Amino acid sequence: MAFIYSTAVGDSAAPDHLSTGPAARMPAEWEAHQRTWMAFPPPNDTFGPAGSPTLDRARVAWTKVAQTIARYEPVTVVADPRDATAAREWLGGGINVVEIPLDDAWLRDSGPTFVHQPDGSLAAVDWIFNGWGAQDWAAWTRDQHVARTVAAGIGVPVRPSPLVNEGGGFHVDGEGTVLLTETVQLDPGRNPGATKESVEAEVHAALGTTKAIWLPRGLTRDYDEFGTRGHVDIVAAFAGAGTILLHRQDDPAHPDHAVYLQLKTVLAGQLDAQGRPLRIIDVPAPTVLRDDEGYVDWSYINHYVGNKVVLLCSFDDPNDAIAAGILERAYPGRRVELVDARDIFAFGGGIHCITQQQPAAKDGGAL
């Protein structure tokens, strides 16, 4: 597969935009993938300067995730042109590297959201990306162009959206239901003046969903200075139609204990888009409560479902094995691979945050 990208930020070599047209559908994550996309950590304020131990830690963690996924499906890693040689050296010959200017390495958020068009072909939703609500610490002059540049490289038409949104800010079941968070899509730094109705109209048009289930908030740590203000993919995720995995913090000393109780109440009795009552599966949090920065947001919910595999964040914690057993039952027929995610979380996210699935270009069974 050949990729030709301009290294000039803002190059618009993408296919014609599809601003209107027949409804598309975002497949569930457990449906068949053509490949997984990731980004290679560049030197920046998040990871540290070139040659720093912290940047090396990030690259070790991201590389481990990429190499694990590559045993099950193709992986393409986006690297800033200045880092492309290093990326190929770190990742090895089995992983494709393409050069696109980058600010950061959270491709779930800055990359495209792939959907199936009515004929089964792919399109790419290009949300507006503004650094998680134009936060002071974030940079997005390059990352705001990544989605359409990726689409151009693989010849996929773009469906631009006027909504400021990120891939970690929603989760779909592939059958019409989407999870959203009030503090993300309704964030004044993202979509000032937006209402639930206006957000739902755009999300449904972009993803082919018909029912939104709104969570009032995300995990506590996500509202710290370097958080996303409530991404759903660290606290709740679909794991099959009608089934939601929910982050459960059992220790009342941790503020996420109260968050868990609140979210459990919100989800109880909800119906999905097909009219089915939701089945909620609690996934206990790791036993560790704090790190040097405060209460941790370590979560098993932020896993990634690939072809015949589930990559599960691990923390060298007694609950790693418990979570692995829960996910083995939730995703029958898939191998659960535990990957140490402590360094990924230290930089601000988890395995789901650094991966983005490209579905196979036709509807098919789950792999």
Side-chain angles (χ1 to χ4, degrees):
M1 176 168 50
F3 294 80
I4 301 174
Y5 295 114
S6 168
T7 58
V9 174
D11 182 88
S12 57
D16 291 342
H17 283 12
L18 301 179
S19 57
T20 59
R25 180 186 76 95
M26 183 181 180
E29 195 169 308
W30 53 84
E31 296 184 50
H33 296 182
Q34 184 172 339
R35 69 181 52 252
T36 293
W37 288 85
M38 296 179 62
F40 189 68
N44 63 12
D45 290 342
T46 300
F47 303 118
S52 65
T54 53
L55 180 60
D56 283 352
R57 281 173 49 204
R59 290 176 171 180
V60 167
W62 266 246
T63 295
K64 179 62 175 177
V65 171
Q67 291 176 340
T68 302
I69 297 172
R71 298 204 297 266
Y72 298 89
E73 63 183 77
V75 176
T76 296
V77 175
V78 174
D80 190 274
R82 61 186 166 166
D83 302 317
T85 298
R88 293 183 176 98
E89 291 173 351
W90 278 82
L91 294 163
I95 294 174
N96 191 35
V97 175
V98 298
E99 299 180 25
I100 299 174
L102 291 175
D103 294 302
D104 221 316
W106 308 100
L107 202 77
R108 172 70 53 178
D109 295 341
S110 60
T113 295
F114 291 104
V115 294
H116 279 140
Q117 301 190 92
D119 65 358
S121 64
L122 286 182
V125 177
D126 180 19
W127 312 104
I128 296 174
F129 180 72
N130 76 341
W132 303 278
Q135 299 200 52
D136 292 341
W137 54 267
W140 61 92
T141 56
R142 298 175 178 87
D143 281 355
Q144 66 182 321
H145 302 293
V146 167
R148 71 179 70 99
T149 309
V150 166
I154 59 175
V156 169
V158 172
R159 289 178 174 257
S161 172
L163 191 71
V164 177
N165 200 17
E166 305 96 35
F170 58 88
H171 210 279
V172 303
D173 67 354
E175 296 191 14
T177 318
V178 60
L179 295 174
L180 302 171
T181 312
E182 293 176 13
T183 55
V184 174
Q185 285 81 21
L186 300 181
D187 175 16
R190 289 176 167 98
N191 300 296
T195 64
K196 286 185 177 180
E197 291 74 20
S198 67
V199 169
E200 287 182 22
E202 176 57 27
V203 167
H204 293 336
L207 303 180
T209 49
T210 57
K211 177 170 183 177
I213 297 175
W214 288 88
L215 302 184
R217 56 163 299 138
L219 297 184
T220 302
R221 182 75 168 259
D222 212 8
Y223 297 89
D224 286 355
E225 179 183 2
F226 300 108
T228 71
R229 300 175 182 159
H231 271 189
V232 72
D233 69 349
I234 200 170
V235 67
F238 286 108
T243 299
I244 287 181
L245 301 175
L246 179 64
H247 179 81
R248 188 185 79 204
Q249 175 54 252
D250 290 325
D251 195 319
H254 195 302
D256 285 338
H257 176 69
V259 174
Y260 159 71
L261 294 176
Q262 181 185 19
L263 299 186
K264 187 72 175 276
T265 299
V266 169
L267 291 170
Q270 289 271 7
L271 304 178
D272 68 9
Q274 304 301 318
R276 295 171 295 216
L278 292 180
R279 181 170 69 106
I280 303 169
I281 300 176
D282 289 347
V283 183
T287 61
V288 173
L289 297 182
R290 300 180 67 97
D291 63 11
D292 292 340
E293 303 296 326
Y295 287 106
V296 300
D297 58 352
W298 293 0
S299 171
Y300 300 111
I301 302 302
N302 199 265
H303 57 277
Y304 179 64
V305 184
N307 292 342
K308 301 186 184 300
V309 67
V310 177
L311 266 72
L312 176 62
C313 299
S314 68
F315 305 94
D316 191 25
D317 189 274
N319 282 352
D320 290 355
I322 295 173
I326 293 172
L327 266 67
E328 284 173 352
R329 294 187 292 274
Y331 300 104
R334 281 181 163 83
R335 180 182 179 89
V336 175
E337 295 267 14
L338 289 162
V339 180
D340 193 324
R342 286 173 291 181
D343 276 341
I344 306 176
F345 272 80
F347 291 115
I351 290 175
H352 197 255
C353 303
I354 68 174
T355 52
Q356 179 64 270
Q357 68 273 14
Q358 178 183 333
K362 62 179 180 180
D363 287 320
L367 289 178

